[in-house]
Amino acid sequence: MSQSQPSAAKPRVALFVTCLVDTMRPTIGFASVKLLEDAGCEVEVPTQTCCGQPAFNSGDMKNSRRLARQMIRAFEGYDYVVAPSGSCAGTIAKHYVEMFEEGTEWHTRAQRLGEKSYELVSFLTDVLKVDKVTASLEKTATYHDSCSGLRELGIKAQPRKLLSSVSGLKVKEMENAEVCCGFGGTFCVKYPEISNDMVSKKTTNITASGADMLLAGDLGCLMNMAGKLAREGKDVEVRHVAEVLAGMTDTPAIAAMEEEGISR
Amino acid sequence: MSVSITSPNFKENAKKALDDVKLQNSRVHIEKGFIGKRSKSIAKVADFEQMREEGRAIKNHVLAHLDIYLEKFEARVKEAGGHVHWAATAEDARKIIAKICKDVNAKSVTKGKSMISEEIGLNSHLEDMGLEVIETDLGEYIIQLRGEHPSHIIAPAVHVSRKDVEAIFREKHTHLDKARVFHQPEDVLAEARAILRSKFQAADVGITGANFLIAETGSAVIVTNEGNGDLTQLLPRVHVAVTSIEKIVPTLDDAAVLMRLLTRSATGQDASVYTTFFTGPRRPEDPDGPEEFHIVLLDNGRSNMLGSEFEEMLRCIRCGACMNHCPVYHAVGGHSYGWVYPGPMGAVLTPSLIGVDKAGHLPNASTFCGRCESVCPVKIPLPKLMRHWREREFERHLTPKAVRFGLAFWAFFARRPRLYNPLARLGMAMLKLLSGGKTRMKTVPLAGGWTKFRDFPVPEGGTFQSQYKKRRKEEGAAQ
């Protein structure tokens, strides 16, 4: 892989794995570490829980601020903060500043942290100038553009660029790849029927694309889509894009079908 | 009496809508029709982003000087021989318009499409007075016959299939042969035209809305594709235009910018088929025009929004692009929102106008996907404004108790990593146990909302942080 860091010192990257990755799918965390270290970063994992997005989106500003301050304290001492999630990275990069009054110390600290916080794949391509990976995978994958990553952080071309360098992998676009999958955090359990309508439209488009694999950059979206594909009995392998880019696809896929399932 | 409010029943409305086969079949007009048309038309614009910025700037400027432009407008209208009425509330507006009609002994009223007239419940008020009220926009005419309210702010009958239009025409146009065949859509159109023709001629008062009010000339402008706006405002003796105060723009040039944004964002047209500017009543040298011109300016909660965190919502130019692109609107249709304004703009505006206690569901039924904001021609940050409503609800304890408790419980631990992390490991281990070695679960305790429609992916086991710490220790020991 290529890397054009002018400075001699390795960039110190604090990995924010996100609470979903931490609890549900550590493989994504390890894939993130590998990708960042391969690109020449020194990776650390400060003690962490959650960026506070559930509280923020529910209008609970008190807890949002508490969790934001906790994150800021733990992460502000690094060169970069990187998360394998567009929505969590978006919360830190774009929304922390909205939680604090302009002109206050916390607003400044939130702003500083936000300016050096990135989603994983776009960090690799846009900051570290990585343009290819060494992984290989004989599959046809389709990519779902998670909303926050797409619309808050402009992530669209970057994952496709790196996926095109995975030898043996074909990427087939699905119709309406940019339309919301219906996860939306608590939305999917507060309005389950509407969420179901949205994820059903999404799984129809996934299977219509002819791909045998679904990738995305956000685990919430992936769990939602994988769960629906499983309920519908559709055989599509669902993974986080980091797993494919890091060549770590020997673990069971998300909600993998029984025959492939290996319990740990 | 205003339109009835069923917004508190949004969830029930939505469930019904999802099961409504006819409604679900009508989605294609929005998802394929409107979305595609808009995208084709803005592709022809050299710099649509620049146009959006201009639109936002014009509206922000107006909102910062609303009083000045409104007073200027009033002066110009009076100079042109028109009457200006200020209506603080919906009831004031109804009373003013009713009096205008009474003063001329009006028997019948034709109407151009006006969402403000829906907001104030004008039609039923006038009908209660004994007036015949005829909607002349074809979509509005259809839903008037069906006894319904608009389900979309631009295409009020988008939820009605052609078959159902033919059925209601057959039912209500009793003077025509019941066995007549509608060979093609044009036949339906021709029938409506013929009926409306005589109504246009007979009307004593014509009531329209206004897409924009222009301060520099005291003019108002309406856009239609059918020409019904022209006939409504030209033919009767009295023309009443009723609209809300934030529709004002400083100059004709400003109106032109916003109209270019409006027609492309709404229907993908460079310009609507008919664009009508009117200024006051007919002048002696005019070949036609109303003898009396009245403009009714409605506040109904809008000035309260100025200076508040919801002020940006007043930039809205009522194009409908947000709802055209909203996956929630696609799923549940406009009637589910329970009042006049559906979709994302309805989710933000409705609580401002009828209270967040009644309309609370609307800003909550969103994933914040941001598609609405990305297509809004005047760049209203709709998800952010919905989130502000959720803050207001949380402060006022309108959020359901279970949600508050869940959040508080989760936040208590999230703020204490030393408790959270081992508890998370325990929780995941328990889930794995429950799963019996499978990778997916059909039911999960306390997660009925999820598992009703989806399987639950079983966690891999062990948290990342604990595994990572372990590996680092092992690597350290190995060195």
Side-chain angles (χ1 to χ4, degrees):
Chain A
M1 64 252 88
S2 67
Q3 173 227 104
S4 49
Q5 281 299 99
S7 65
K10 285 180 166 192
R12 285 178 67 237
V13 173
L15 178 64
F16 177 58
V17 287
T18 80
C19 53
L20 275 182
V21 167
D22 190 27
T23 56
M24 307 295 311
R25 199 165 174 85
T27 298
I28 299 170
F30 288 109
S32 307
V33 171
K34 179 173 195 298
L35 287 166
L36 289 165
E37 286 181 344
D38 284 353
C41 298
E42 191 186 299
V43 178
E44 297 216 20
V45 181
T47 302
Q48 56 193 256
T49 58
C50 174
C51 67
Q53 193 183 177
F56 184 61
N57 284 345
S58 301
D60 179 359
M61 292 312 290
K62 201 157 162 213
N63 277 316
S64 303
R65 286 188 196 105
R66 281 167 167 164
L67 289 167
R69 283 191 285 258
Q70 183 175 267
M71 272 284 317
I72 293 168
R73 277 190 213 103
F75 284 78
E76 64 187 344
Y78 296 87
D79 297 335
Y80 299 101
V81 178
V82 176
S85 158
S87 75
C88 309
T91 299
I92 303 167
K94 305 280 176 188
H95 295 299
Y96 274 6
V97 288
E98 293 176 351
M99 297 179 191
F100 303 100
E101 209 184 309
E102 270 193 69
T104 60
E105 181 209 335
W106 279 110
H107 186 270
T108 308
R109 287 168 78 174
Q111 189 164 32
R112 290 218 185 99
L113 185 72
E115 284 162 5
K116 57 186 179 182
S117 297
Y118 294 86
E119 178 275 342
L120 173 70
V121 177
S122 52
F123 179 71
L124 292 170
T125 56
D126 301 349
V127 180
L128 299 181
K129 312 298 183 195
V130 172
D131 56 9
K132 55 184 190 288
V133 296
T134 55
S136 61
L137 187 65
E138 292 284 335
K139 289 262 176 201
T140 304
T142 192
Y143 192 86
H144 163 77
D145 293 299
S146 296
C147 300
S148 305
L150 174 69
R151 297 191 183 92
E152 287 185 356
L153 302 176
I155 298 165
K156 175 77 183 180
Q158 302 94 321
R160 288 166 173 82
K161 180 177 178 182
L162 291 186
L163 286 171
S164 70
S165 74
V166 176
S167 86
L169 184 73
K170 277 203 217 62
V171 175
K172 269 181 114 175
E173 297 293 341
M174 66 170 126
E175 199 182 319
N176 285 339
E178 296 183 356
V179 176
C180 184
C181 72
F183 175 63
T186 54
F187 172 86
C188 65
V189 293
K190 277 162 72 180
Y191 298 94
E193 294 82 11
I194 304 176
S195 171
N196 180 49
D197 180 275
M198 292 164 72
V199 74
S200 304
K201 297 285 178 292
K202 181 60 66 173
T203 56
T204 300
N205 289 330
I206 291 166
T207 44
S209 73
D212 49 22
M213 177 178 249
L214 169 70
L215 300 174
D218 271 76
L219 185 54
C221 308
L222 288 163
M223 285 177 64
N224 178 43
M225 295 183 289
K228 188 62 183 175
L229 287 164
R231 180 62 59 92
E232 292 177 331
K234 291 177 174 160
D235 186 8
V236 177
E237 190 177 335
V238 183
R239 294 184 182 277
H240 189 283
V241 62
E243 299 175 48
V244 170
L245 296 177
M248 291 168 69
T249 52
D250 39 4
T251 58
I254 301 168
M257 294 204 91
E258 286 315 325
E259 307 86 74
E260 303 157 26
I262 312 162
S263 48
R264 284 206 179 155
Chain B
M1 197 211 71
S2 265
V3 176
S4 75
I5 298 168
T6 69
S7 310
N9 303 328
F10 174 82
K11 278 193 99 164
E12 291 75 24
N13 295 344
K15 277 207 194 108
K16 265 176 58 193
L18 286 163
D19 290 336
D20 181 342
V21 176
K22 277 188 186 167
L23 180 68
Q24 294 300 319
N25 287 339
S26 75
R27 287 167 71 148
V28 62
H29 300 300
I30 297 181
E31 289 182 84
K32 293 268 148 75
F34 283 138
I35 291 182
K37 285 182 186 150
R38 170 191 172 274
S39 122
K40 276 210 186 85
S41 82
I42 71 173
K44 296 190 286 176
V45 177
D47 193 341
F48 192 67
E49 275 313 299
Q50 170 63 20
M51 217 190 258
R52 288 174 81 206
E53 266 306 320
E54 277 183 59
R56 168 162 70 169
I58 291 169
K59 292 289 303 203
N60 278 348
H61 171 78
V62 167
L63 293 172
H65 305 91
L66 196 60
D67 51 346
I68 295 172
Y69 287 115
L70 283 170
E71 289 187 332
K72 198 168 174 200
F73 176 75
E74 179 186 38
R76 291 286 106 76
V77 173
K78 283 183 168 156
E79 277 167 27
H83 305 273
V84 178
H85 310 265
W86 302 90
T89 65
E91 195 186 334
D92 291 342
R94 288 195 298 269
K95 285 204 174 110
I96 290 164
I97 297 172
K99 182 170 190 300
I100 294 169
C101 293
K102 199 146 172 263
D103 285 351
V104 295
N105 287 318
K107 298 282 177 294
S108 90
V109 168
T110 43
K111 283 193 70 222
K113 195 170 89 67
S114 160
M115 294 308 292
I116 291 295
S117 73
E118 280 286 326
E119 187 181 320
I120 64 176
L122 181 64
N123 288 10
S124 53
H125 185 79
L126 295 178
E127 283 166 344
D128 287 347
M129 276 170 65
L131 286 159
E132 187 195 16
V133 179
I134 305 112
E135 292 286 352
T136 65
D137 170 277
L138 182 60
E140 287 281 351
Y141 179 73
I142 290 165
I143 61 174
Q144 185 180 37
L145 291 182
R146 285 164 56 98
E148 286 179 322
H149 292 288
S151 66
H152 188 283
I153 63 173
I154 301 294
V158 70
H159 60 286
V160 185
S161 69
R162 206 181 97 197
K163 271 182 88 186
D164 284 344
V165 175
E166 292 175 7
I168 197 70
F169 274 20
R170 234 180 264 288
E171 186 188 324
K172 298 288 182 180
H173 296 162
T174 50
H175 62 291
L176 296 171
D177 175 14
K178 228 190 175 134
R180 67 192 180 288
V181 180
F182 295 101
H183 295 285
Q184 45 199 352
E186 285 74 20
D187 296 341
V188 177
L189 229 75
E191 184 167 312
R193 260 189 108 208
I195 286 167
L196 289 173
R197 223 31 168 209
S198 55
K199 303 288 185 186
F200 280 126
Q201 312 275 11
D204 304 301
V205 177
I207 301 176
T208 67
N211 291 93
F212 301 103
L213 303 171
I214 296 131
E216 96 178 313
T217 56
S219 309
V221 60
I222 50 178
V223 298
T224 70
N225 284 326
E226 297 158 30
N228 60 302
D230 286 18
L231 298 179
T232 302
Q233 60 95 197
L234 267 181
L235 296 179
R237 204 151 59 82
V238 178
H239 174 210
V240 180
V242 58
T243 195
S244 48
I245 53 175
E246 82 281 13
K247 292 291 189 68
I248 192 97
V249 299
T251 65
L252 287 166
D253 283 339
D254 295 327
V257 172
L258 292 172
M259 280 163 60
R260 293 175 75 200
L261 285 166
L262 170 65
T263 55
R264 284 168 178 81
S265 304
T267 54
Q269 295 172 274
D270 295 353
S272 54
V273 181
Y274 295 85
T275 303
T276 310
F277 290 84
F278 42 88
T279 313
R282 84 198 296 177
R283 287 156 285 255
E285 62 272 25
D286 287 342
D288 50 32
E291 283 164 32
E292 267 180 61
F293 173 71
H294 298 260
I295 180 113
V296 180
L297 297 167
L298 179 72
D299 184 341
N300 208 27
R302 285 149 176 85
S303 54
N304 275 342
M305 291 166 68
L306 289 169
S308 80
E309 54 190 346
F310 300 102
E311 178 174 311
E312 293 184 273
M313 193 59 224
L314 293 172
R315 291 207 292 269
C316 180
I317 62 173
R318 304 291 193 269
C319 70
C322 59
M323 59 195 76
N324 287 343
H325 290 77
C326 175
V328 173
Y329 178 88
H330 294 159
V332 304
H335 288 150
S336 296
Y337 293 77
W339 196 53
V340 179
Y341 303 105
M345 58 81 63
V348 177
L349 186 62
T350 307
S352 281
L353 300 185
I354 69 171
V356 73
D357 51 331
K358 289 200 197 76
H361 270 301
L362 273 47
N364 277 287
S366 168
T367 61
F368 290 169
C369 80
R371 213 173 176 207
C372 51
E373 180 177 2
S374 72
V375 298
C376 175
V378 287
K379 299 185 137 182
I380 301 171
L382 292 155
K384 182 172 91 163
L385 298 179
M386 287 184 226
R387 198 180 46 72
H388 284 322
W389 278 124
R390 298 183 189 185
E391 283 175 55
R392 294 288 180 91
E393 286 177 283
F394 197 84
E395 283 163 15
R396 290 171 57 179
H397 290 251
L398 293 171
T399 320
K401 282 210 173 77
V403 175
R404 276 191 87 93
F405 177 74
L407 267 172
F409 182 82
W410 161 84
F412 176 86
F413 290 102
R415 278 154 44 208
R416 295 165 173 84
R418 294 220 193 104
L419 288 178
Y420 179 98
N421 290 328
L423 275 173
R425 278 180 68 188
L426 188 63
M428 293 307 118
M430 280 170 62
L431 265 175
K432 281 219 72 148
L433 214 66
L434 265 171
S435 74
K438 297 210 184 99
T439 58
R440 45 172 81 162
M441 289 163 76
K442 299 241 173 280
T443 58
V444 177
L446 302 176
W450 180 284
T451 55
K452 187 169 177 195
F453 300 107
R454 289 159 280 240
D455 285 359
F456 184 79
V458 173
E460 280 180 334
T463 61
F464 171 79
Q465 288 185 79
S466 60
Q467 288 185 40
Y468 183 77
K469 274 203 187 89
K470 205 162 154 225
R471 284 200 201 178
R472 285 285 283 256
K473 247 201 213 148
E474 286 167 1
E475 283 166 14
Q479 276 155 17

